[in-house]
Amino acid sequence: MKKIGILTSGGDAPGMNAHIRAVVRAALAKGLEVVGIVGGYSGMIEGDFIKLGRKETANIIGRGGTILKTSRSKEFMMAGGRAAAAERIREAGIDGIIACGGNGTFKGAHAFWVEHHIPIVGTPGTIDNDLYGTHYTIGYDTAINTAAEAIDRIRDTADSHGRVFIVEVMGRHAGFIAMDVGIACGAEYVAIPETVTNLDILYQRILKQGKTRRTIIIVGEGDEYGGAAKIATKLKEEYEIEAKYTILGHIQRGGSPTVRDRVLASHLGVAAVDALINGKTDVMVGRQSHDIAYTPLEESWTRQKPIWSYLIDLAEILA
Ligand code: F6P
């Protein structure tokens, strides 16, 4: 292992820059060269590579987004795209790759390894926190803090007007963001894909608020009811309740990473370089408690990461 490549892929996540910086510093310390693959797997297919050193990665630890840019490459989902990428990687003399992203990124990385035998490890970079094999993903902590700040603001106006508010948060098919911010913001109801949403109970919670009517409902975008707008419509049609709704959207993906995200991103960056040096491939380099954990890439998306049940209980008790 003399030269390694790093790319960021899928939805960007705060902390990806801190991760890139850590990979570069760790690799340089071990005498390796580092190549940045620009634009995720699309950049790999096009051979869009840049040399990364201390200078190129200085002053980025606190920046959101990713200096390497990202994409959701359709071409890389096909064997032809992956073959083209393998050719570019071999031409550039890259011996191993670190792919930071989520489910889609790891599916691509696994297929790439199986077909081309170029060592590749994944690092969990997604605000969704939905990857099996790591307690937290890079970007999750920042996203929940951003969402919580926004919901606190909504609560102020909801409280002043005595309104019912439904706030939709990201997370794709997972309810981690919704559950954590629901508890942190004192929501009256949290609707997540992992549990059955019951509008009768939700209605009772609104009534329980009495005269003030101020109610905060958090819904994960993957919930079976289909999001905040649909719940608002149902509340109106079936219970004659007027509810305002807000979709927080991509605001959750931006901004300066929190300390926790910076530290996690740095830890996983150093560990990913070590993993490649030690001959690991086709694994996700994650963290369980305080320890680095390696999970076969395929497991990271085929096994469902469960929402910790104590959180579900907490949200119920405290509602
Ligand atoms: O996976 C991260 C994520 O932000 C999800 O929470 C969301 O469903 C999705 O990406 C949105 O993707 P895009 O920005 O491509 O629309």
Side-chain angles (χ1 to χ4, degrees):
M1 197 62 55
K2 292 203 174 85
K3 198 191 261 190
I4 62 168
I6 164 129
L7 64 86
T8 48
S9 160
D12 61 338
M16 279 181 164
N17 284 328
H19 186 59
I20 296 164
R21 171 184 178 272
V23 165
V24 169
R25 291 189 170 217
L28 293 180
K30 304 263 160 124
L32 306 181
E33 271 182 69
V34 188
V35 170
I37 300 165
V38 181
Y41 290 133
S42 301
M44 207 155 131
I45 293 169
E46 286 154 21
D48 193 353
F49 303 147
I50 53 169
K51 194 173 158 51
L52 289 181
R54 284 181 84 91
K55 199 167 132 245
E56 290 75 17
T57 51
N59 209 15
I60 62 166
I61 195 164
R63 265 169 64 186
T66 160
I67 59 160
L68 288 177
K69 315 298 180 198
T70 183
S71 64
R72 299 191 196 275
S73 170
K74 290 218 166 65
E75 268 185 284
F76 200 79
M77 290 177 195
M78 324 278 214
R82 293 191 292 272
E87 247 183 75
R88 301 289 92 74
I89 291 292
R90 290 209 166 94
E91 280 162 11
I94 295 171
D95 306 307
I97 298 164
I98 296 168
C100 179
N103 286 323
T105 306
F106 293 172
K107 281 181 190 160
H110 174 66
F112 186 73
W113 161 250
V114 169
E115 291 162 1
H116 301 289
H117 297 287
I118 296 172
I120 185 162
V121 297
T123 47
T126 167
I127 63 163
D128 299 340
N129 199 33
D130 58 346
L131 295 168
Y132 181 87
T134 189
H135 272 154
Y136 293 111
T137 55
I138 298 165
Y140 176 68
D141 189 61
T142 309
I144 53 178
N145 278 288
T146 303
E149 193 189 329
I151 295 161
D152 283 347
R153 286 168 196 259
I154 288 170
R155 172 183 283 276
D156 289 345
T157 176
D159 198 45
S160 306
H161 286 265
R163 281 175 171 159
V164 176
F165 255 93
I166 308 169
V167 185
E168 182 179 312
V169 295
M170 278 188 168
R172 210 180 281 266
H173 306 300
F176 290 95
I177 296 179
M179 191 45 81
D180 264 343
V181 301
I183 292 169
C185 297
E188 274 67 37
Y189 195 90
V190 184
I192 57 169
E194 293 86 343
T195 57
V196 176
T197 297
N198 185 326
L199 287 199
D200 285 337
I201 295 180
L202 200 162
Y203 176 60
Q204 292 307 322
R205 299 257 171 93
I206 295 170
L207 295 186
K208 207 172 134 198
Q209 292 300 88
K211 250 173 125 193
T212 83
R213 273 289 154 101
R214 192 263 299 133
T215 311
I216 302 291
I217 300 156
I218 306 295
V219 54
E221 63 180 349
D223 184 66
E224 76 272 16
Y225 256 93
K230 290 233 172 94
I231 293 182
T233 308
K234 285 258 178 198
L235 281 180
K236 174 86 185 135
E237 286 172 0
E238 290 175 23
Y239 303 90
E240 289 178 16
I241 292 280
E242 290 285 347
K244 298 267 178 196
Y245 71 89
T246 303
I247 298 170
L248 292 187
H250 290 79
I251 191 173
Q252 295 159 98
R253 287 233 299 254
S256 177
T258 58
V259 169
R260 281 198 190 283
D261 268 332
R262 295 182 202 194
V263 174
L264 176 66
S266 302
H267 194 181
L268 295 182
V270 173
V273 171
D274 282 343
L276 280 178
I277 290 173
N278 294 326
K280 292 207 185 318
T281 183
D282 197 27
V283 292
M284 179 188 80
V285 182
R287 193 170 73 183
Q288 300 279 26
S289 294
H290 294 283
D291 299 323
I292 294 298
Y294 308 99
T295 305
L297 281 178
E298 218 174 351
E299 263 185 43
S300 69
W301 77 82
T302 51
R303 296 187 68 166
Q304 204 204 344
K305 178 170 165 183
I307 294 263
W308 294 288
S309 58
Y310 78 92
L311 287 179
I312 298 173
D313 295 346
L314 268 183
E316 288 292 312
I317 294 164
L318 301 175

